[in-house]
Amino acid sequence: KQITSFDPGFMNTACCESTITYIDGDKGILRYRGYPIEQLAEKSNFLEVAYLLIYGELPTATQLETWQERIMSHTYIHVTLMDYMKSFRYDAHPMSMFIATMAAMSTEYPESNPTLTRRDLFEFDHRARNQQIFRILGKAPTIAACAYRHRIGRPYNYPTESSRGYSYTENFLYMLDRLSEPDYRPSPAIAKALDVLFIVHADHELNCSTAAMRHLTSTRVDPYTAVAGAAGALYGPLHGGASEAVVRMLEEIGSVDKIDEFLSGVKSKTRRLMGFGHRIYKNYDPRAKILKEYAEKVFAEVGRDPLIDIAVELERRATQDDYFVSRKLYPNVDFYSGIIYRACGFPLDMYPLLFALPRIAGWLAHWYESLREEKSAAKASIPGATHVMRARQTYVGDLNKE
Ligand code: CMC
């Protein structure tokens, strides 16, 4: 049968309806559940935003307290997972370790696998789903911190006791850095900047890794395996690798007087200006605006990174240059995120993981939505909505070689 709709790269195909994230790329607008990203970055913390994305409403003060308490009491990982992580090569990439360990979590919680439990595939058990959300959000930073400690050849740290009241990002920084004093608390300015970075990365509608999450979810695989699969998509340099590429580019430019020479290379198409341009945004990416401001706040705490002066001047010249203006190329989220990671002392190979950690909230929101959607679609009998996602191809090979 001839397939008439040929859309490689999904440039023009919607495969689901969603109420999670709204983007107007021409106007540079990003909203989670109707709330502008600028407002959330200023007034909320990451876990509050994760709640909003997953459940659709901002939590009340009591709901937020319970939500934070549940997640922060799930931060410990089983000692067998730690032993598993210790078996990786000394120089294993943190993102590879994270993907493998997240997938291994499904072996710790076999009740999440419908094949093993023989439960009704359409059953929407809120309690079980919430338990999986608490575990994944709670344990992901611990796995990431162990991967980092492994990478730098230091012993793994345990999370803080939830009774000590550390925020999600404070606890993560604590596990990365914990010094010998038991009361070590990360710098509030760095914790806030990381929280804002987490908020702006939490969701971005149907980007490649989120589409992968929905694809995997449609098979009803357990969520640990699905999150590991989505993280695999994000690991690719065309998705989660741009912030690292920006830092490498700025390091290579090296000083403000080399910017014009670099831009000439971009305009003659021998180079790309990394951190510029976006498939959806044809205006300034609102996330880049927020991060530019936060970069200054981090520098006030840790000292100014000379790369910021090159970045700001590069942006000024590019946004006044007809090559970039006529193509609607503006800074995207990655233009300033890498400079902040660098100033906070993260090594380059942690950058994709720093993107993946907050994006888990978005993946889980799409997972939760698509499972509910499937259940209601099953009732409303919308064709395709309850099926395994399965794209079609146009066969162009030989038909008969008998
Ligand atoms: N530097 C120089 N020229 C560019 C750039 C750039 N960064 N981006 C696009 N162009 C040019 C491109 O050469 C083309 O010119 P022409 O019409 O003369 O052939 C025109 O702009 C349109 O480009 P395109 O490749 O059709 O645009 P796209 O929407 O397919 O690509 C992109 C989007 C993000 C892949 C691209 O802009 C790019 O490679 N940017 C650099 C990498 C980067 O920063 N990636 C992070 C994206 S944000 C991540 C997120 O939101 O999660």
Side-chain angles (χ1 to χ4, degrees), residues 129-140:
R129 301 266 181 259
N130 285 334
Q131 186 78 358
Q132 289 158 356
I133 290 170
F134 300 146
R135 274 191 202 130
I136 293 173
L137 286 177
K139 294 176 197 310

Side-chain angles (χ1 to χ4, degrees), residues 140 231 364:
L364 290 174

